[in-house]
Amino acid sequence: MAPVEAPLRKKVLRVIFVSLLLDLISFTFILPLFPKLLEFYRNSEAGPGSQSTILARILDGLNAYKSSFSRPIDSRYDIVLLGGALGSLFSLLQAIASPVIGHLSDKYGRRTALLASMAGNILSVLLWVVAVDFRTFLASRVVGGLSEGNVQLATAIATDISDENNRGSTMALIGACFSIAFTFGPALGAYLSSIATVAANPFATAAAVSLFLIVTETLYLYVSLPETLPAKADKKTAPKATATPAPVTRTNSYTLLNTVHFVFLLFFSGMEFSLPFMTYELFGYTSSRNGRLLGYIGLVASILQGGVTRRLPPLLTVRLGVGACLLAFTILARGDTVRSLYIAATCLATTSATVVSGLNTLASFEASADERGGKLGILRSWGQLGRGLGPILFTSVYWWAGRELAYTMGSVGLLVVSALVFSGLKAPRCIISKIVLSPLLVFRMQYEMKSNDET
């Protein structure tokens, strides 16, 4: 693809950054509210004589699952397990929806697909605003899981407007949005939840502000985002394309990329979800102390993405993150001090800042413009499948066999990922050519200049 004109690229990058930041801040509002929010619904719908409600039946199923563990699980984790089940549901729905959204963006354009996705997001958050019962709240999560497409479409748009010279830094910008949002969004959501406006829904204030952000984002996208898919874009704003697109030289198979993404997130998401269990068990951490730990991870990840990740080749980025994750698993399996916990947290921050953005960058080099949305959607689908299954599988091992075996199992899983990444994945040929040819071109220029001086 021909290079995108600098003014257009700058404009689209600004729109992506602002819209994705609004989207992710809105998305993270609910994360610290899950325990109290689900406790509110449990107290109102799952008491004696209320076995007919959806929530009561779900809790019965979770309690039966919990009772199968060889180690007793404190009742304080009932809400945590329910929150994990809802998180897994959201991710599994994303695994179904992501390829569909991606293929629609290839057929009808990124802008059209993104605005349609935002309409679903608005409906999802609107259901949360009026969710005075758990059934409505559950419907909100289902609609959100099936419609959320901002992240993958932002990735496709970023790929449309970038080339091999700036692809990595563009993808790192998307990762930076995640880190910034996860650093500040949960704290803002927790604050808004303390402002009661509707008695029947104590979390209506946070939901209403989330709805405001989503509506603002949608209007901003409608007004400011041009179409970037070359086949659909207007000639005045589209990247300049040749009549016959240059064929894509493939380096890594999508089967390998999808496998790495799935297996990595299967173990990484399991570790993420189990971390509050472990900190409570070992150190008696409260929710506020866990919040500070997660804030530290988000802050370090933001710094790394802003100053380091965007400067590194994508394959090196993935390898660095996978190695850091393997080290984190090893430390968490044996460490029993707060110092070791924060060393592992620093490794996790490194992983958060590198692996997924690096895999997206590698995948973007393997697809032509007319199939990029679908290919990236399938990659995200496999990742979301890992996110959906990871917490269930990992916490089951944690409570059946204990912390050491669970994290040792995670280390073995990361060894498999490391083998795939270090021996299977390769740097895209365009990047290798750039790295190899640049010194040769410099040498040739110096030689020609010297020859001219002598003559």
Side-chain angles (χ1 to χ4, degrees):
M1 187 185 76
V4 177
E5 295 178 356
L8 173 62
R9 182 173 185 274
K10 185 177 180 180
K11 175 185 177 180
V12 175
L13 282 178
R14 182 177 64 250
V15 174
I16 290 175
F17 183 82
V18 173
S19 64
L20 194 56
L21 197 58
L22 289 173
D23 188 84
L24 291 173
I25 289 176
S26 172
F27 176 80
T28 57
F29 272 7
I30 199 172
L31 298 182
L33 309 184
F34 261 123
K36 288 187 177 180
L37 188 149
L38 296 177
E39 190 175 71
F40 165 76
Y41 290 126
R42 182 186 65 179
N43 292 340
S44 61
E45 297 184 32
S50 58
Q51 297 302 310
S52 60
T53 65
I54 293 177
L55 180 56
R57 292 197 294 270
I58 292 174
L59 286 174
D60 285 343
L62 286 176
N63 284 327
Y65 176 68
K66 187 177 70 172
S67 65
S68 66
F69 296 139
S70 60
R71 300 175 61 195
I73 301 179
D74 194 294
S75 60
R76 73 186 295 272
Y77 288 124
D78 289 353
I79 294 299
V80 178
L81 292 172
L82 177 59
L86 288 177
S88 292
L89 173 65
F90 186 91
S91 295
L92 293 174
L93 290 172
Q94 280 277 279
I96 297 171
S98 293
V100 177
I101 294 173
H103 284 299
L104 289 176
S105 79
D106 286 336
K107 183 175 182 179
Y108 299 104
R110 315 289 189 224
R111 186 176 186 275
T112 301
L114 184 53
L115 290 174
S117 171
M118 294 306 302
N121 289 343
I122 291 174
L123 176 59
S124 171
V125 182
L126 183 61
L127 286 171
W128 182 27
V129 173
V130 300
V132 296
D133 55 25
F134 180 76
R135 180 176 57 183
T136 306
F137 177 74
L138 182 61
S140 166
R141 301 302 294 170
V142 170
V143 172
L146 291 174
S147 61
E148 172 60 46
N150 193 301
V151 174
Q152 75 176 82
L153 293 176
T155 302
I157 291 170
T159 303
D160 289 337
I161 63 168
S162 62
D163 55 25
E164 62 271 14
N165 297 316
N166 50 38
R167 184 73 51 80
S169 60
T170 305
M171 293 298 183
L173 182 69
I174 295 176
C177 288
F178 270 92
S179 298
I180 294 171
F182 277 80
T183 300
F184 299 104
L188 183 56
Y191 168 74
L192 292 171
S193 69
S194 65
I195 304 175
T197 54
V198 180
N201 182 3
F203 306 95
T205 303
V209 175
S210 178
L211 179 62
F212 171 77
L213 293 179
I214 291 295
V215 171
T216 301
E217 177 193 1
T218 304
L219 293 175
Y220 178 61
L221 288 170
Y222 181 80
V223 172
S224 303
L225 181 67
E227 180 56 68
T228 62
L229 181 65
K232 294 289 182 181
D234 184 85
K235 293 182 179 180
K236 294 182 179 180
T237 59
K240 296 178 181 178
T242 59
T244 303
V248 175
T249 303
R250 304 189 190 278
T251 306
N252 298 299
S253 73
Y254 265 95
T255 300
L256 178 59
L257 288 166
N258 292 335
T259 300
V260 170
H261 202 204
F262 168 73
V263 179
F264 167 73
L265 284 178
L266 181 72
F267 291 101
F268 182 72
S269 63
M271 174 171 56
E272 277 186 316
F273 186 72
S274 69
L275 200 59
F277 292 82
M278 192 208 73
T279 55
Y280 172 76
E281 184 181 31
L282 288 183
F283 310 115
Y285 265 26
T286 60
S287 297
S288 60
R289 294 184 71 183
N290 273 323
R292 286 197 294 270
L293 177 65
L294 296 176
Y296 170 78
I297 293 174
L299 179 61
V300 173
S302 298
I303 295 171
L304 290 174
Q305 282 167 330
V308 178
T309 303
R310 65 187 183 90
R311 304 178 189 275
L312 298 177
L315 182 58
L316 178 59
T317 299
V318 175
R319 288 174 173 175
L320 176 64
V322 169
C325 191
L326 176 59
L327 181 58
F329 267 111
T330 304
I331 294 172
L332 291 173
R334 298 288 188 271
D336 56 2
T337 66
V338 173
R339 180 181 179 183
S340 65
L341 173 65
Y342 270 83
I343 293 174
T346 304
C347 294
L348 291 179
T350 303
T351 301
S352 298
T354 52
V355 177
V356 173
S357 63
L359 286 174
N360 279 322
T361 304
L362 289 175
S364 69
F365 284 110
E366 309 299 333
S368 58
D370 60 349
E371 63 177 0
R372 192 170 289 142
K375 294 294 187 182
L376 291 175
I378 293 172
L379 180 73
R380 178 173 171 80
S381 175
W382 281 102
Q384 290 299 314
L385 182 61
R387 283 193 180 277
L389 298 177
I392 299 172
L393 297 176
F394 199 85
T395 52
S396 296
V397 175
Y398 189 105
W399 290 111
W400 269 326
R403 171 177 67 105
E404 289 189 14
L405 182 59
Y407 286 109
T408 299
M409 180 193 72
S411 299
V412 174
L414 261 294
L415 281 174
V416 174
V417 176
S418 299
L420 293 173
V421 168
F422 282 88
S423 64
L425 291 181
K426 298 178 177 61
R429 295 181 183 180
C430 55
I431 294 180
I432 294 176
S433 300
K434 178 185 173 185
I435 294 173
V436 173
L437 292 178
S438 293
L440 295 177
L441 290 173
V442 171
F443 175 78
R444 180 179 177 182
M445 291 175 64
Q446 290 174 340
Y447 175 78
E448 291 177 349
M449 291 173 64
K450 184 179 179 180
S451 299
N452 291 335
D453 291 340
E454 291 176 350
T455 56

